[in-house]
Amino acid sequence: MSRPTPVQSPRGRPRSFDVDAAVERAMGVFWSRGYHATALPDLLRATKLSRGSLYAAFGDKHSLFLRALDRYIADAVTRMDVELAPRREPVDALRAYLAGYVDRTSGANGRRGCLMVATAMELAGQDAAIGRRVAGFFRAMEARLADALSRAKVAGKLADGVDPASAAKILVCFVEGLRVVGKTAPARATSQATADALLDRFVR
């Protein structure tokens, strides 16, 4: 359990609050509204901070957004590391990974969309710091998938002619595409069937 982190306001008045919780609340606002549509009052209401405390702790809106994006990325990478853990049978791990994306792109979760995809569309081409984070996340995803596919190849579970690196790139494009299609609330069974059909082309 995280402990409240003491934060000093610009005027020297001590204020104590949970920085991690504030970042998580800010992440929720950015996720719902997007970066440009999020105003400072939105962040103050969500984090329950004064203007001075927010600026003292995070600097400005852009810096807070970077903290929120880093939090989102860290959570996603941790989840991938569980789903694609080397100790798991590789094909089972890949199916668990894809099933997780199907869950996150179905129903209300799907309509909420993906902070990473939304950020890539809104900012990655305009903001170097954000572009690096988005590109780094996709590289991390691709590397983990390529590793799982390589392990499947060693185990004799990969279909003939399938290159792990190329298949990993295809899977990254697929799951991020699922994030976009999820905004239209597709039937979960349809998304799962599509994920199964794609993976079945790579494995035996």
Side-chain angles (χ1 to χ4, degrees):
M1 179 181 296
S2 60
R3 295 182 178 179
T5 303
V7 174
Q8 193 76 16
S9 72
R11 297 179 182 178
R13 180 181 177 183
R15 181 182 294 271
S16 180
F17 64 90
D18 188 330
V19 173
D20 288 340
V23 170
E24 185 170 1
R25 294 187 191 108
M27 181 178 73
V29 178
F30 287 125
W31 195 344
S32 298
R33 300 176 64 86
Y35 178 78
H36 289 304
T38 297
L40 181 60
D42 301 322
L43 296 170
L44 297 179
R45 281 192 297 272
T47 60
K48 299 179 173 60
L49 297 178
S50 69
R51 182 187 298 259
S53 291
L54 187 143
Y55 278 120
F58 304 111
D60 56 17
K61 172 183 166 180
H62 185 264
S63 297
L64 178 54
F65 181 74
L66 292 179
R67 289 282 294 272
L69 190 59
D70 286 342
R71 169 68 178 270
Y72 186 90
I73 290 169
D75 290 346
V77 169
T78 297
R79 184 173 60 241
M80 281 192 288
D81 285 341
V82 172
E83 293 167 345
L84 298 171
R87 67 179 179 277
R88 301 186 69 167
E89 195 280 327
V91 175
D92 289 346
L94 288 163
R95 292 199 187 282
Y97 170 83
L98 291 175
Y101 267 91
V102 170
D103 287 341
R104 291 187 291 278
T105 56
S106 300
N109 288 334
R111 284 189 292 272
R112 188 183 190 194
C114 172
L115 178 61
M116 186 60 58
V117 170
T119 298
M121 297 297 292
E122 183 181 9
L123 295 167
Q126 308 166 21
D127 187 306
I130 289 172
R132 286 193 298 271
R133 283 166 167 80
V134 173
F137 174 70
F138 290 148
R139 284 195 301 270
M141 184 189 304
E142 189 177 307
R144 285 161 172 77
L145 286 167
D147 178 71
L149 288 159
S150 294
R151 288 188 284 111
K153 184 173 183 176
V154 170
K157 299 293 182 66
L158 213 59
D160 292 340
V162 173
D163 172 60
S166 297
K169 292 179 187 294
I170 292 169
L171 287 174
V172 169
C173 291
F174 173 72
V175 296
E176 295 308 324
L178 271 185
R179 285 295 210 177
V180 176
V181 174
K183 296 285 283 185
T184 67
R188 189 190 186 288
T190 300
S191 296
Q192 185 64 63
T194 305
D196 289 339
L198 176 59
L199 187 58
D200 286 345
R201 289 180 177 272
F202 296 151
V203 302
R204 63 173 91 196

